[in-house]
Amino acid sequence: MSDPGLPKSGAVFHGFATVRAVGPVGMITLRAKPDVPRLAEAFAALGLTVPDVRRIVLGQGVAVAWMSPDEYLLILDPAATGATMATLGSTLQGSHHLAVDVSDARAMFRVEGPLADQVLRKLSPADFDMLQPLEVRRTRAAQVAAAFWAQNGGFTIICFRSVADYMMALLSQSAQPGSEL
């Protein structure tokens, strides 16, 4: 049975930029204040550091994005989600935190190509002239809550799974040949 809330993994649109649905992807939301004892230790156990404000830190097969003053998003192979949850739980035991597997609640996309920023410029009020590589921006893409960052010649976008088909359509429409800015 197909999942109506998520474009087929690997769905691709080729326009003036390439839009691709990425998945499956493991995602864990970690709520903890930056001064929580052992937070740096928990990330170090995963080969990561605590990300600075509005930054994403890339590791070997895992990344962590700063999402708000007390929220981080870990992005990883879905097969590693359970073990990562266990590592976070054991490392942060006794510290005030909350870790939740949100893999089934989120969708991920990539927009790539020399004009990839134009796809998102049409959809988001973010200041792309000021956006640095690996700087996470939480905003809207049209009317969809989204987070994105520039990386490797393109952008990675995360949104709620319930609007994933709509997001794929938005990104694809925005990348239509002849609609470059």
Side-chain angles (χ1 to χ4, degrees):
M1 179 173 181
S2 66
D3 182 349
L6 192 61
K8 182 180 177 191
S9 179
V12 176
F13 174 81
H14 296 287
F16 69 80
T18 300
V19 176
R20 180 172 44 91
V22 179
V25 178
M27 295 189 208
I28 298 169
T29 291
L30 175 64
R31 300 298 298 244
K33 295 198 185 281
D35 61 352
V36 162
R38 297 186 294 281
L39 181 62
E41 182 183 332
F43 285 147
L46 301 171
L48 301 166
T49 59
V50 178
D52 290 331
V53 173
R54 291 194 330 252
R55 304 298 294 175
I56 186 167
V57 174
L58 307 176
Q60 198 69 9
V62 64
V64 62
W66 180 95
M67 300 301 278
S68 73
D70 69 344
E71 180 182 1
Y72 304 92
L73 180 67
L74 286 103
I75 304 163
L76 60 157
D77 183 317
T81 303
T84 302
M85 290 283 291
T87 298
L88 292 171
S90 64
T91 309
L92 294 171
Q93 186 174 1
S95 297
H96 183 70
H97 75 283
L98 173 68
V100 178
D101 180 352
V102 294
S103 304
D104 290 337
R106 305 284 187 270
M108 181 182 282
F109 299 87
R110 281 286 297 167
V111 178
E112 298 172 318
L115 302 178
D117 66 313
Q118 290 189 20
V119 173
L120 289 171
R121 282 177 189 264
K122 294 179 193 179
L123 302 173
S124 173
D127 185 349
F128 285 85
D129 293 331
M130 299 301 293
L131 189 68
Q132 299 297 312
L134 302 179
E135 179 183 353
V136 176
R137 187 57 51 124
R138 289 185 77 173
T139 185
R140 297 216 170 258
Q143 293 302 311
V144 174
F148 58 79
W149 60 91
Q151 173 189 359
N152 299 332
F155 290 84
T156 301
I157 302 106
I158 295 174
C159 68
F160 289 110
R161 177 181 174 162
S162 61
V163 293
D165 279 340
Y166 179 63
M167 178 63 83
M168 182 70 182
L170 281 173
L171 295 169
S172 299
Q173 182 66 33
S174 186
Q176 287 290 325
S179 71
E180 299 85 348
L181 296 176

